Amino acid sequence: MCGIIGYIGPKSIVPVLVEGLKKLEYRGYDSAGVAVVDGGTVQIRRVLGKIAVLEESLRADPLQGVYGLGHTRWATHGRPSERNAHPHIDCTGELVIVHNGIIENYLGLKKRLREEGHAFRTETDTEVIAHLIEKHFRGDLAAAVRAAIAELEGAFAIAALSSRDPRKIVVAKHGPPAVVGVGEGETIVSSDINPILGHTSKVVFLEDGDMAVIDAGGAAFTDFQGAKVEKKVETIGWNPLMIEKHGFKHFMLKEIFEQPEVIRDTIMGRVSLDEGEVLLDEVGLSAETLASVRKAVIIACGTSYHAGLAGQLFFETWARIPTTVEYASEFRYRDFLLEKDTLVVVVSQSGETADTLAALRACKPRAAAVVAVTNVVSSSIAREAQGVLYTHAGPEIGVAATKTFTAQMTALALLGLYLGQTKGALEKKALLEILEEFQRLPHKVERVLSQAKAIEDLAQRFVHFSHFLYLGRWVSFPAALEGALKLKEISYIHAEAYAGGEMKHGPIALIDEKMPTLAVVPRDRVYEKMLSNIAEIKARAGFIIAVAGAGDAEIGRHVDVVIPVPDAHPLLSPFLSVVPLQLFAYDIAARRGADVDQPRNLAKSVTVE
Ligand code: F6R
């Protein structure tokens, strides 16, 4: 994780770096720093804490420079501290580096460099890169970086500068992302496109093994051996305004409210109601590949894994394809069995999650095809998968995923319907009914959102509770898991989600009046079973809040509070039931004064294992 940025051009360097770092802060925010070059000297400022602390320090004691680098950190090696914050310097103080990733062989390198006389100041793995570049430096920074990275094992996106080879920044990528923005008389490098878009819409995505030497006139690209590489300049359509808060107190709340739009945007152009058809040729699966698919594996982490659990039911029900769902971090280390008739679907909002990317790479040679469901155009996962289905959710800034969960479920549902349609497993009439329900879904989500005030009032009663149980069965189980994850990650309250039927196998021992339950109970095939689970909780003095169908007149007799959501096609109910759970978690966290958009210890893009 961590975010890197570098700028060279006519604009005032410190504001460009600080504004860019604010946009990268989701990648880590335990410490930050900048380095700027003024004439022949490099000046550095590093702080423990968020970008706001860095900004304040720079306001109180400004730095002067013409070009420079910045970094926001999520600690891996070395605790968060001013000393361990990037940028890191060599022994001379003339060479500076920022790094995202992990250098696995840093201990051996550090020992050797120490023996050769290099003095280390930090506990980080990154510092070895600065000293390695120093060791190889003979006046040409790019050549020294090339020689240094030949000795590195691990993952890195780095940007380096040296006042002894001035007015250039050298970038190298092996693993974590790096994007170069090429403007008019200015060039910028960053971990993602957000800091770039305010300056230029023309970007180049570096591939693993790419280096770039950037100056105000543009960028020259080579491979790690120094051979010239031709790169495609892409034009990005995202508008920087799309990432403003639009009057919401937090990005997370804004993003929860964007969900109706996100469903509309993700299905737009991909269904034909006239023909009763799903149009997903864009995914790029040939008719031959589709015909060969007999099984599916969905691989993801965190919230994306929860969306994958819903996807499993979509695939099995609509396409009649046996489907399993796997944590990428577990799957990649198994001696997994994958047959040539298996479709692998990797789900990742960021498209950069290290474990998901590694699983993709492991599966690619062995599967029928690997398809990525991702939100970030040209992310590593999007580029490496054989087919891509983009979730059109727009940028998600809140670290806790909300609208992208909904967008992922939408995309997986479309894929499930598409597979069902092409394999002839789904009758036209049934398909049309589901597609029509999809058209109604955004409006139904709006109706759930219109209850935001009532949910806020309810949440206030639970602000001081320390434990929550979330229950759901069948298609409501992923919603329960997701609701519990939201509460945990943004309010730091212990929350556990269980499949209702598992209750009596252990978790029921936890129930007392101090542990409320949020039960997701749409009127579906497991409704009666959930009522039994609810009765078991009530018999043990548990307080129950149910998210249930608005047309359900009975549920109120079984639980303490009902949050009604519109009735829906049974398999599409999680699109509605997850929304009150997101709001409930948000309201509790906001009332507790938690840092909702940037919860402690987390980062939006997990590019380390
Ligand atoms: C939770 C959350 C994380 C991510 C997970 C995977 O709110 O955001 O659990 O879902 O880190 O990230 P992506 O989807 O980018 O692969």
Side-chain angles (χ1 to χ4, degrees):
M1 286 159 346
C2 303
I4 63 170
I5 185 164
Y7 176 85
I8 185 155
K11 292 176 188 145
S12 182
I13 182 67
V14 170
V16 171
L17 294 178
V18 169
E19 287 312 308
L21 287 176
K22 282 185 191 163
K23 297 195 175 103
L24 292 174
E25 205 169 13
Y26 72 87
R27 301 180 66 85
Y29 35 79
D30 58 45
S31 50
V34 294
V36 295
V37 185
D38 184 19
T41 50
V42 179
Q43 297 187 59
I44 296 180
R45 178 69 43 78
R46 296 184 294 216
V47 298
L48 172 64
K50 298 190 169 188
I51 308 302
V53 181
L54 177 68
E55 193 174 24
E56 188 44 46
S57 161
L58 289 163
R59 194 177 301 127
D61 182 11
L63 290 185
Q64 299 302 330
V66 273
Y67 69 105
L69 301 174
H71 188 273
T72 184
R73 181 167 188 245
W74 186 83
T76 56
H77 294 71
R79 71 197 156 80
S81 68
E82 184 186 331
R83 197 158 55 103
N84 288 333
H86 301 216
H88 291 298
I89 53 173
D90 67 350
C91 297
T92 66
E94 292 165 330
L95 187 139
V96 182
I97 176 157
V98 289
H99 167 222
N100 172 26
I102 289 179
I103 304 306
E104 285 161 5
N105 60 337
Y106 84 104
L107 284 174
L109 290 171
K110 192 166 176 174
K111 183 166 174 288
R112 209 187 70 209
L113 286 160
R114 266 203 175 120
E115 285 161 7
E116 290 168 12
H118 290 264
F120 281 79
R121 299 174 178 86
T122 78
E123 303 155 67
T124 66
D125 53 340
T126 301
E127 197 184 354
V128 298
I129 312 176
H131 292 285
L132 268 182
I133 300 174
E134 175 188 10
K135 174 180 163 178
H136 292 289
F137 188 78
R138 309 274 179 278
D140 178 350
L141 181 61
V145 169
R146 241 186 340 263
I149 60 182
E151 299 190 48
L152 300 180
E153 284 165 25
F156 52 84
I158 56 171
L161 61 77
S162 166
S163 59
R164 289 202 285 150
D165 187 9
R167 296 207 164 65
K168 67 172 70 149
I169 294 169
V170 178
V171 184
K173 169 181 158 38
H174 176 70
V179 192
V180 174
V182 190
E184 294 291 320
E186 59 182 350
T187 313
I188 181 164
V189 58
S190 169
S191 295
D192 75 24
I193 56 175
N194 291 326
I196 297 177
L197 291 183
H199 304 278
T200 175
S201 57
K202 303 263 180 285
V203 299
V204 175
F205 292 93
L206 298 197
E207 306 285 336
D208 283 353
D210 282 348
M211 278 181 66
V213 179
I214 70 172
D215 59 26
F221 301 97
T222 66
D223 62 18
F224 283 180
Q225 282 69 47
K228 195 163 180 278
V229 175
E230 287 302 330
K231 301 295 295 180
K232 192 167 137 231
V233 180
E234 298 185 32
T235 305
I236 298 294
W238 278 2
N239 174 346
L241 269 182
M242 284 166 77
I243 49 182
E244 298 302 323
K245 275 192 211 149
H246 291 297
F248 285 95
K249 194 166 168 216
H250 294 100
F251 280 111
M252 179 179 174
L253 188 59
K254 169 182 167 259
E255 288 157 2
I256 291 173
F257 272 80
E258 282 172 355
Q259 290 178 111
E261 210 50 46
V262 162
I263 299 173
R264 280 189 198 104
D265 287 348
T266 303
I267 58 178
M268 193 189 294
R270 290 168 167 169
V271 303
S272 160
L273 284 183
D274 293 344
E275 303 295 326
E277 225 185 323
V278 180
L279 313 164
L280 279 191
D281 291 353
E282 64 184 283
V283 175
L285 295 179
S286 67
E288 202 187 353
T289 304
L290 282 169
S292 74
V293 169
R294 301 265 174 280
K295 298 187 231 56
V297 182
I298 301 175
I299 306 176
C301 301
T303 288
S304 301
Y305 173 84
H306 298 158
L309 290 173
Q312 176 183 41
L313 299 177
F314 301 150
F315 284 20
E316 288 186 345
T317 312
W318 295 331
R320 304 303 294 146
I321 296 175
T323 305
T324 55
V325 191
E326 306 281 354
Y327 284 122
S329 53
E330 288 294 311
F331 183 80
R332 60 179 290 199
Y333 292 111
R334 295 217 315 258
D335 293 323
F336 61 83
L337 302 170
L338 206 58
E339 289 165 58
K340 259 294 178 198
D341 61 358
T342 306
L343 177 70
V344 173
V345 181
V346 289
V347 187
S348 173
Q349 183 286 130
S350 61
E352 301 294 347
T353 298
D355 285 318
T356 312
L357 182 58
L360 177 164
R361 287 177 179 156
C363 291
K364 219 163 133 178
R366 295 163 57 180
V370 180
V371 169
V373 171
T374 182
N375 196 40
V376 180
V377 175
S378 296
S379 54
S380 304
I381 285 174
R383 278 177 287 132
E384 293 199 28
Q386 286 136 325
V388 186
L389 182 54
Y390 283 112
T391 51
H392 293 161
E396 187 174 65
I397 305 301
V399 164
T402 51
K403 64 173 178 173
T404 54
F405 174 70
T406 292
Q408 287 168 343
M409 285 201 301
T410 308
L412 288 167
L414 289 175
L415 194 54
L417 292 170
Y418 181 63
L419 290 168
Q421 165 187 295
T422 49
K423 297 187 90 55
L426 192 59
E427 278 180 20
K428 196 119 184 151
K429 186 165 163 288
L431 173 60
L432 194 59
E433 267 170 28
I434 299 161
L435 293 182
E436 283 168 354
E437 176 69 355
F438 251 112
Q439 304 292 326
R440 291 188 287 266
L441 260 189
H443 181 58
K444 291 187 177 182
V445 175
E446 273 156 16
R447 280 166 49 204
V448 182
L449 289 168
S450 72
Q451 301 177 69
K453 178 71 181 78
I455 295 169
E456 187 182 348
D457 292 344
L458 174 66
Q460 302 318 329
R461 293 163 53 190
F462 294 92
V463 166
H464 300 298
F465 280 70
S466 307
H467 307 278
F468 285 82
L469 186 67
Y470 284 68
L471 279 194
R473 297 184 79 141
W474 190 50
V475 74
S476 299
F477 180 45
L481 283 166
E482 183 55 11
L485 178 61
K486 291 308 94 162
L487 189 67
K488 275 184 266 219
E489 64 185 335
I490 61 169
S491 67
Y492 320 139
I493 293 174
H494 168 225
E496 294 207 42
Y498 272 93
E502 277 297 296
M503 271 288 292
K504 55 180 99 44
H505 300 288
I508 199 160
L510 290 168
I511 297 294
D512 62 14
E513 67 287 355
K514 293 201 214 89
M515 188 174 203
T517 298
L518 281 100
V520 185
V521 210
R523 211 154 184 146
D524 58 17
R525 62 166 73 163
V526 288
Y527 178 76
E528 301 294 338
K529 305 288 166 202
M530 271 299 284
L531 287 189
S532 306
N533 300 140
I534 284 170
E536 288 154 12
I537 296 172
K538 282 262 62 111
R540 286 155 184 91
F543 188 94
I544 301 180
I545 302 167
V547 177
D552 183 351
E554 193 189 339
I555 187 74
R557 290 201 292 276
H558 301 269
V559 301
D560 299 284
V561 179
V562 179
I563 304 175
V565 297
D567 294 310
H569 177 284
L571 269 184
L572 301 187
S573 67
F575 287 88
L576 303 168
S577 48
V578 77
V579 178
L581 303 184
Q582 294 167 336
L583 286 169
F584 186 82
Y586 169 80
D587 292 328
I588 288 191
R591 177 49 86 89
R592 286 165 74 109
D595 193 345
V596 171
D597 284 332
Q598 295 179 337
R600 69 186 183 201
N601 304 340
L602 298 181
K604 183 95 187 143
S605 182
V606 186
T607 54
V608 293
E609 279 187 44

